[in-house]
Amino acid sequence: MLCRIIAFMSVAAVNVVLSFEDARRVVEGQAELIRASQVGEGRTESVELLAAAGRILFEPVLADRDIPPFARSTRDGYAVRSADLSRLPATLAVIGEIRAGEQFDKIPNNLGSGQAASIMTGAPVPTGADAVVMVEYSSQLDAKSGARVEIRRGVDAGENIVPRGAEARAGACLIERRARMNAAAVALAASAGKAQLQVYKRPRVAVLSTGDELVDVETTPGPTQIRNSNSYSLAAQILSAGGEPVLLGVAPDESQGLRRLIDDGLKADLLLMTGGVSMGRYDLVEQVLTEMSAEFFFTGAKIQPGRPIVFGKCGAGSQSRAGRATYFFGLPGNPVSTMVTFEIFARPVLEALTGQSARKLQFLHARLKREISVKTGLKRFLPAILSGEFEDSQVELVAWQGSGDIAATARANCYIVIPEDRERIAAGEWVAVMRSDW
Ligand code: AMP
Ligand code: MG
């Protein structure tokens, strides 16, 4: 089905309006093609460990030794032979103390039957011992010398010990190539001694807002003008997805000027345009791209907000790219539509360009606080407030004036996702939620 859509769509700018799911699959398919064609050459850089947080790994991180490198006690207590505790309470002779970091030559060798060694969390377990009893279940019998201990609870063999290499063997892959370095990955790289990491360079994402009514943030708008805000929400989203935004400013609703700026934008790794993709007489983005021999994958999705979204690839219009086509999105100009369509369609393509491995779009679920009534036929992403705590998540729509209402969206922290066949959702029902407070 998808192949047919793509084959059909690669002809010209026709009117191809897909369901949300089909449009998303087209985007995911193109993201896979991007990954398949990615070569390392010139696309990577070496960064210090701390600077690697949030970056995408180019080389896998391997364990430089077994983890843990020795059988590690997970408790403060006594290293014992579990068989010695078959009858309780048991009295054992304490033959030494093992601290975390203790050198091997100071550790009692081959713990015998009837013996125990006092041991701390993170210390190496002596040979001969097969378990650790927590200190809470013991009493020292000779208070001064500590030479004998009474144990009140039994242990299974292996209890409170992580065997050498149980977490990873030397040479094993700890963090895969294309992983995004989160806090745990940074910790793991530190534990493997990686002070420097080879990561993908950030892709450059050109941002072009279109519209004769727009002025930039430094300019005082005339009575019927508005400030360009989409370039800034997009720049923030691009940064959060691992890209480097390149703001190209505002293009006029006039073919020649628009074409010049689009051509400029196609020199980047990805071009995001906002506005000019609806049905108005001055919505020229699709027309100009068609003149530039762009390939269109779709020109609309059955969603609200964001229906007139355009996704395609263009290279022919740009001499400087010598045949290399650049992906572009024409995002609808209404500020909330721009933000939503970036999240659900542009983000996967950008993440592929960053080198990151594929991620499925996943929604949380929460109980609806107040009934919702909508018309059927479109998948909706409506700004909402997720509240509650612990296991009790609740969500309700924010009052808004439609997809131009940035103020309402700024009060929201998520979108409620409403399936296209639902007309009424009662209070108390579980609904899908997409977070927006990255
Ligand atoms: P368009 O998609 O060009 O028809 O624009 C739809 C609505 O979004 C219009 O009300 C525009 O004024 C508004 N709009 C378009 N681009 C921007 C932008 N960059 N910043 C803020 N609002 C915009
Ligand atoms: Mg416009």
Side-chain angles (χ1 to χ4, degrees):
M1 159 75 173
L2 220 56
C3 295
R4 263 198 291 126
I5 293 169
I6 293 168
F8 164 62
M9 287 184 303
S10 57
V11 185
V14 284
N15 193 27
V16 183
V17 180
L18 302 181
S19 70
F20 162 69
E21 287 78 9
D22 280 345
R24 173 76 194 192
R25 278 179 206 121
V26 167
V27 161
E28 287 174 359
Q30 293 301 317
E32 260 333 290
L33 293 179
I34 291 171
R35 284 189 193 90
S37 66
Q38 253 161 4
V39 280
E41 208 74 348
R43 300 213 59 235
T44 74
E45 59 188 331
S46 175
V47 295
E48 286 184 8
L49 176 57
L50 254 188
R55 300 297 297 272
I56 311 300
L57 208 54
F58 179 69
E59 281 174 347
V61 171
L62 307 182
D64 64 330
R65 57 182 186 155
D66 288 346
I67 309 179
F70 49 83
R72 180 181 68 210
S73 173
T74 63
R75 304 284 184 195
D76 296 318
Y78 289 89
V80 298
R81 289 169 170 256
S82 55
D84 284 351
L85 306 183
S86 52
R87 252 187 269 146
L88 295 168
T91 300
L92 302 174
V94 180
I95 60 164
E97 182 190 78
I98 312 167
R99 300 158 60 146
E102 195 78 89
Q103 289 170 16
F104 274 124
D105 58 2
K106 304 233 174 72
I107 294 173
N109 202 7
N110 227 351
L111 193 93
S113 180
Q115 295 183 327
S118 168
I119 194 165
M120 312 300 146
T121 301
V125 176
T127 54
D130 68 354
V132 170
V133 181
M134 288 165 69
V135 72
E136 288 86 334
Y137 306 127
S138 70
S139 315
Q140 276 185 18
L141 294 180
D142 315 299
K144 274 206 189 117
S145 65
R148 286 186 314 144
V149 65
E150 185 187 82
I151 308 282
R152 294 186 297 278
R153 255 214 211 174
V155 275
D156 292 330
E159 209 170 313
N160 300 325
I161 296 176
V162 181
R164 174 177 176 160
E167 291 166 12
R169 285 282 174 203
C173 177
L174 297 177
I175 316 171
E176 307 255 355
R177 179 173 177 236
R178 297 189 179 281
R180 186 165 187 161
M181 294 293 293
N182 60 18
V186 170
L188 198 49
S191 76
K194 299 290 279 185
Q196 293 279 132
L197 289 166
Q198 199 70 20
V199 297
Y200 282 91
K201 279 188 183 160
R202 290 194 174 93
R204 296 175 77 244
V205 185
V207 178
L208 182 58
S209 281
T210 73
D212 284 339
E213 75 279 32
L214 302 176
V215 297
D216 202 23
V217 61
E218 279 107 10
T219 310
T220 307
T224 57
Q225 292 180 314
I226 57 165
R227 295 191 183 92
N228 167 20
S229 61
N230 288 346
S231 291
Y232 297 94
S233 57
L234 281 175
Q237 289 174 295
I238 290 164
L239 283 170
S240 91
E244 188 188 310
V246 181
L247 301 197
L248 297 183
V250 175
D253 289 325
E254 168 272 309
S255 299
Q256 268 191 346
L258 182 59
R259 182 172 178 151
R260 233 186 347 264
L261 282 163
I262 289 180
D263 210 39
D264 230 17
L266 290 170
K267 292 175 193 150
D269 298 305
L270 174 66
L271 168 61
L272 301 183
M273 293 160 283
T274 82
V277 287
S278 307
M279 298 303 285
R281 193 173 303 145
Y282 300 100
D283 290 328
L284 301 171
V285 167
E286 245 178 277
Q287 184 190 313
V288 167
L289 282 160
T290 306
E291 285 163 18
M292 294 171 81
S293 309
E295 178 184 357
F296 291 88
F297 302 119
F298 55 79
T299 57
K302 291 180 193 152
I303 57 169
Q304 193 248 341
R307 195 174 197 278
I309 174 155
V310 175
F311 175 38
K313 216 169 152 180
C314 186
S318 167
Q319 287 90 13
S320 59
R321 293 189 62 80
R324 257 186 65 200
T326 303
Y327 285 94
F328 65 80
F329 283 91
L331 308 177
N334 265 316
V336 186
S337 312
T338 307
M339 286 187 261
V340 168
T341 48
F342 174 90
E343 272 316 304
I344 57 184
F345 296 128
R347 185 181 275 266
V349 171
L350 174 51
E351 285 183 352
L353 289 166
T354 67
Q356 191 174 341
S357 53
R359 276 190 310 138
K360 291 288 174 199
L361 187 60
Q362 288 163 333
F363 301 135
L364 310 173
H365 284 81
R367 270 189 202 283
L368 191 62
K369 267 172 121 171
R370 237 174 284 214
E371 175 184 305
I372 297 178
S373 291
V374 287
K375 289 203 182 90
T376 57
L378 296 175
K379 182 106 163 183
R380 290 171 202 269
F381 296 82
L382 304 181
I385 294 173
L386 185 65
S387 59
E389 65 173 351
F390 305 130
E391 287 86 2
D392 177 33
S393 302
Q394 301 164 7
V395 68
E396 66 182 320
L397 294 178
V398 291
W400 74 329
Q401 301 299 317
S403 52
D405 192 343
I406 322 175
T409 310
R411 285 195 299 277
N413 57 11
C414 67
Y415 300 100
I416 294 179
V417 185
I418 304 175
E420 52 274 34
D421 58 352
R422 292 298 302 271
E423 212 166 2
R424 184 182 160 273
I425 305 179
E429 269 194 60
W430 288 92
V431 290
V433 168
M434 182 172 86
R435 290 205 77 125
S436 62
D437 51 350
W438 318 277

